């Protein structure tokens, strides 16, 4: 057991925003290298509508290539159609992804804030009946590009409702990276008060304003022990204006190494992987640690 768990999203959140389609064999190698670098959880892909996220249209093919190694890797699933596709492949972990705001629910899921629950509820019920583990994400926790500030009560109400569908963990998404350390503490306190302790929460920071690492530190001090991050700082959401890359996994590992907090990750192997992927994508990684060590 490591002191903290890094939930690696580079293969999903990292690649979903890339316009140039990355080959399925490259994706499989990316995931293999991330696992080889010691990352305990690697979210592999999304079983969303292929027209909505063309980069991940090869989800089934990817999971077939990964075979037995891929069964325990989480994948995004928005609805029963996505669940059926995941079940056909014998996958064991899915993640649903809800929105704390009305506008992003419409833009990302083609549903209203309330309608999203009608989509997720039967999906989670069937997934749990099939013995799957379910993670829930809630997006736009710290601000929304169309609606501005999002009231803490609204984030907590949506997040708790998503979690209560039957999830084992709720990941709090700063989709557009506007959150700051004080707001992180406030939101975590509010979730704790609503009955969700730190050990069922994870944090998912995008780095648009350069606050992701400070926010992760604030969350760690609060008591959070699961951190989403993306190798090389890749990432973004095609349906969220101004969403840029995620917190770079390397930057997070560097910080935890300095704190003497064990992540189980081999930083050298991870940097080599992100440098290799940056070469494939044709531009340098935005991660400061990858730049320094690569
Ligand atoms: P819709 O158009 O409303 O779908 O999209 P529908 O239910 O009306 O169905 C229309 C057709 O799509 C049907 O086919 C369905 O079978 C098919 P037809 O009968 O017309 O031939 N269909 C599917 N096909 C394959 N796989 C599926 C699927 N579902 C329906 N799963 C939908 C609704 C939810 C599908 C769509 O809006 C969608 O795919 N959205 C996904 C958007 C997305 O992936 N965004 C990025 C991930 S979220 C994120 O990045 C944030 C996060 O990182 C956290 C953070 O940063 O905050 C997680
Ligand atoms: Mg994200």
């Amino acid at each position: 057991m490591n002191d903290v768990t890094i939930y690696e999203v580079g293969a999903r959140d990292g690649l979903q925003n890339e316009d140039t389609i990355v080959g399925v064999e490259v994706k499989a190698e990316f995931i293999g290298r991330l696992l080889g670098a010691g990352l305990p959880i690697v979210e592999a892909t999304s079983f969303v509508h292929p027209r909505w996220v063309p980069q991940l249209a090869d989800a089934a093919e990817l999971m077939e290539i990964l075979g037995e190694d891929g069964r325990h890797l989480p994948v995004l699933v928005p609805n029963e159609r996505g669940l059926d596709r995941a079940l056909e492949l014998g996958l064991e972990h899915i993640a649903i992804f809800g929105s704390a705001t009305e506008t992003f629910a419409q833009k990302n899921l083609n549903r209203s804030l309330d309608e999203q629950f009608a989509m997720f509820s039967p999906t989670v019920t069937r997934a749990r009946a099939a013995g799957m583990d379910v993670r829930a994400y809630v997006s736009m926790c710290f601000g929304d590009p169309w609606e501005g500030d999002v009231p803490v009560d609204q984030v907590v109400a949506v997040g708790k409702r998503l979690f209560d569908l039957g999830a084992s963990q709720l990941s709090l998404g700063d989709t557009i990276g506007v959150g700051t350390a004080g707001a992180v503490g406030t939101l975590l306190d509010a979730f704790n008060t609503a009955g969700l302790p730190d050990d069922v929460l994870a944090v998912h920071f995008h780095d648009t304003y350069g606050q992701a690492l400070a926010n992760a530190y604030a969350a760690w001090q609060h008591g959070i022990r699961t951190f989403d991050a993306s190798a090389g700082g890749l990432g973004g959401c095609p349906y969220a204006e101004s969403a840029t890359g995620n917190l770079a996994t390397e930057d997070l590992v560097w910080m935890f190494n300095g704190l003497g907090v064990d992540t189980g990750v081999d930083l050298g192997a991870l940097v080599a992987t992100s440098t290799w992927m940056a070469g494939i994508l044709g531009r340098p990684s935005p991660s400061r640690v990858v730049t320094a060590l690569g």
Side-chain angles (χ1 to χ4, degrees):
M1 276 292 282
N2 304 309
D3 297 334
V4 294
T5 300
I6 298 183
Y7 183 106
E8 169 61 45
V9 297
R12 192 279 303 170
D13 205 335
L15 294 183
Q16 71 182 11
N17 215 29
E18 294 292 330
D19 291 334
T20 308
I21 303 292
V22 175
V24 69
E25 297 286 350
V26 172
K27 288 173 181 160
E29 185 176 347
F30 188 35
I31 291 167
R33 289 180 68 154
L34 293 169
L35 291 167
L39 285 153
I41 307 176
V42 177
E43 194 170 77
T45 185
S46 297
F47 287 86
V48 298
H49 196 296
R51 229 177 15 245
W52 282 65
V53 184
Q55 178 65 258
L56 304 182
D58 58 6
E61 199 186 343
L62 173 65
M63 297 318 286
E64 269 162 17
I65 292 172
L66 293 173
E68 202 50 42
D69 293 345
R71 275 168 171 277
H72 69 282
L73 304 181
V75 296
L76 287 199
V77 160
N79 56 13
E80 290 189 87
R81 174 80 186 94
L83 177 67
D84 289 337
R85 294 171 60 204
L87 283 169
E88 273 167 31
L89 290 154
L91 306 186
E92 294 164 3
H93 299 267
I94 63 163
I96 58 165
F97 48 103
S99 170
T101 67
E102 182 65 44
T103 314
F104 189 58
Q106 298 280 1
K107 299 230 181 235
N108 199 45
L109 297 166
N110 200 24
R111 298 289 182 278
S112 71
L113 188 66
D114 267 333
E115 284 167 359
Q116 67 181 337
F117 294 101
M119 185 167 74
F120 294 136
S121 179
T123 307
V124 175
T125 302
R126 282 186 49 213
R128 300 285 292 120
M132 284 174 152
D133 172 65
V134 179
R135 169 185 242 227
Y137 284 97
V138 56
S139 288
M140 301 299 174
C141 287
F142 298 91
D144 171 291
W146 301 278
E147 299 185 17
D149 290 343
V150 184
V152 168
D153 289 354
Q154 183 177 324
V155 176
V156 172
V158 173
K160 186 166 162 41
R161 215 171 142 189
L162 287 166
F163 180 79
D164 287 345
L165 292 175
S168 59
Q169 186 174 62
L170 179 70
S171 178
L172 309 179
D174 185 5
T175 321
I176 56 167
V178 289
T180 50
V184 170
T186 302
L187 187 66
L188 293 173
D189 284 344
F191 269 107
N192 294 167
T193 303
L196 272 71
D198 284 347
D199 62 7
V200 299
L201 298 173
V203 285
H204 179 106
F205 296 122
H206 285 257
D207 201 30
T208 319
Y209 290 82
Q211 302 298 301
L213 192 60
N215 291 344
Y217 183 64
W220 179 73
Q221 283 202 310
H222 193 279
I224 297 295
R225 293 295 175 262
T226 302
F227 298 83
D228 299 3
S230 172
L234 296 170
C237 177
Y239 295 102
E241 277 171 22
S242 71
T244 66
N246 288 74
L247 169 60
T249 313
E250 289 85 353
D251 297 15
L252 185 66
V253 171
W254 179 269
M255 179 185 81
F256 281 133
N257 284 353
L259 289 164
V261 172
D262 179 31
T263 62
V265 176
D266 175 342
L267 186 56
L270 182 58
V271 168
T273 301
S274 293
T275 305
W276 164 78
M277 184 46 87
I280 286 167
L281 297 175
R283 58 172 194 283
S285 159
S287 158
R288 303 289 285 270
V289 172
V290 172
T291 305
L293 299 179

